[in-house]
Structures are given as C-alpha cells and as structure tokens.
Amino acid sequence: MDRENFLAERFEEQRGHLRAVAYRMLGSLSEAEDAVQETWLKAARADTDEVENLAGWLTTVVGRVCLDMLRSRKSRREDAFDSSLADGSAEEPAVRIFRRVDPEREALLEDSVGTAMLVVLDALAPAERLAFVLHDMFGVSFADIAPIVERSPETTQRLASRARQRVRGKTDVDDGDRMRRYRAVDAFLRAARNGEFETLLALLDPNVTLRLDDAARLLGAGTELVGARAVAERFRGQALLARPILLDGEAGVIVAPRGRMLMVFTVGFDGDRITEIGAVADKSRLSAMELTVPSANGA
C-alpha cells in the first residue's frame, strides 16, 4: 500500500471524530465537512511519517482550520460555501468530499451537542471556543492547544476557564429551586412535543399568561393568551425546535434552528407551576441576555 492510500485509510478512521470536533467548533455540518476536507488536504501535503499519534495530530490540525474559519467568518452565515473546492478535477480524491448535507444527520449531530450549547458556544470568541471545545469536550491538553491559539499553556488555560464560565454561568453551584424550574421547563417541552395535553395542564397555573413582543408576533408566534387550557392547546404538538436553557440565570426556552437563535421564551413560576410565558424575538433584547447551559449533573 502506498503512502497516500495508507494515510487516506487512517484518515477515514478518524473522520467521525474530526467531524465531531469541527461541528462543535463551527455549529454547521456543511462548514464542518469543509474543515475536515481541508484537514485532509493539509495532512496529504505534510510529512506524517514521524507523527506518533496521528489521531491527536489530526485533531490539532482540524482545530487550527476551524479557528481560521471562525476568525474569517464575520458576517458569513450558515449557508456560505467555499467555491474553491469545486475545481472541476476529474480525478477522484483518495478521501471523499461531502458537499451535500444530510438534514437527518445534521439533526442527529445537533441533538448530540445540544441546541442550547451550540448557541452559547457561538457567543464565545474564536480562541475561547477552541480552548473550551478541545480541552473540555475532547480532552486535548493545554500544552497541545497553546500553539494553535498562539498563547502560553497558562494563558490557554485561562481562555478555557473564561469560556467555561460563560457557558456554565458565574457559578458551578446548582441552586435547587432554579434547577427544579429548569427540569419543569424541560418536562413542559417534552409534553408539548408529545401532545400530552393533561401533562401540560398539570404544569401550568390555571391563570397562566402567554405574552409576545412585536418581533415574536411577526415571526408567527401567535397572539397573547390567558388560561391554562388555551396555552396548553397552543403548545400541544409544537415545540419541536424548542430546548430548555438558562436566560439570565433563570429557566427558559430557546428556539434556535440549526444552532442560530431565533426566539426565546421567558418562563415565570409560582411554586412548581408556570404562571407566565413571554416570547421574545427582538434582536436588541436577545443580544442583552446571558445564555448559559447547566452542568450535566445539575440538569
């Protein structure tokens, strides 16, 4: 087996892992596939004969590629594609180029990461996101991450710590009442998706209100409602794209198709029952909110 075919075989073994890293870095399957392909192109041109840990080396390469993509993204959004890969070459590459994105596969990837997590990660600075993703999600050492972000290992550790604080909130100590409300919101959304009307009623205060800002109305969120039966009927069979999140430290709901925040719902409680739901889609209000996700043991 010649060198290129051997490398291609080893690369294919790591493709799923590299895609997972890139997706968490970029929040887009199409861009993640571009990053993986660029990683292959770099690997094919590099001298990897002396690389002892090819999987680890490829992880750092895809991290660097993603960091460059994040830094150059600016206003480029989800559906932007790099036309330079379409070079018209008739020769089939040793490693496949995935140009068409399977929506079902992207949905599975999004579920594996969490919609709320993708939105929170998107608010991080590129270097913070890289340090957090590679270290906290994939166990890459700060010593290996440091050359990618061009910082010392100590500074890289601080980048990850700052990102962790923004992702998880100002404290890792879980408040019992807050997490109980978070789980109640999660139960409400599950009941809504499953069409469980009686469960929705049990979670709602009899006099619950649903309020909407003007931007939410324009997005088709409906009209304002009062009463548990009316609100339960509105949400029954809905909320397919809605996920629980912490909004300014309190339990709420985010709607973020493909990881892009569209709308949030603030949720008010009296005891264990929901008394108020507020749909917010105004961009200025959304940008002012602190979005965090609870730690795994807290949710």
Side-chain angles (χ1 to χ4, degrees), residues 44-58:
R45 292 192 296 262
D47 182 2
T48 58
D49 292 341
E50 302 301 321
V51 175
E52 295 182 2
N53 181 2
L54 184 62
W57 183 81
L58 289 171

Side-chain angles (χ1 to χ4, degrees), residues 116 119-121 123-124 162-171 178 244-254 261 264-266 280 283-294:
V119 173
V120 174
L121 288 175
L124 299 177
R162 188 160 62 237
R164 193 178 305 116
Q165 186 178 67
R166 293 186 64 186
V167 169
R168 300 300 184 191
K170 293 182 174 59
T171 176
R178 181 185 65 176
I245 197 170
L246 296 179
L247 303 171
D248 294 327
E250 288 297 330
V253 176
I254 188 168
M261 181 166 56
V264 301
F265 291 87
T266 60
V280 179
K283 290 184 178 180
S284 62
R285 292 183 63 190
L286 292 178
S287 63
M289 290 183 175
E290 180 184 64
L291 309 179
T292 55
V293 292

Side-chain angles (χ1 to χ4, degrees), residues 85-139:
L85 289 178
D87 58 5
S89 174
E91 182 180 355
E92 183 176 347
V95 174
R96 299 186 308 275
I97 300 176
F98 289 92
R99 301 306 302 144
R100 294 183 180 179
V101 173
D102 181 352
E104 182 176 352
R105 183 170 57 164
E106 180 151 29
L108 289 173
L109 264 177
E110 185 173 322
D111 286 343
S112 71
V113 180
T115 299
M117 177 62 80
L118 287 176
V119 173
V120 174
L121 288 175
D122 204 43
L124 299 177
E128 290 177 347
R129 185 169 185 169
L130 179 78
F132 177 79
V133 168
L134 290 189
H135 181 268
D136 285 40
M137 294 184 170
F138 293 97

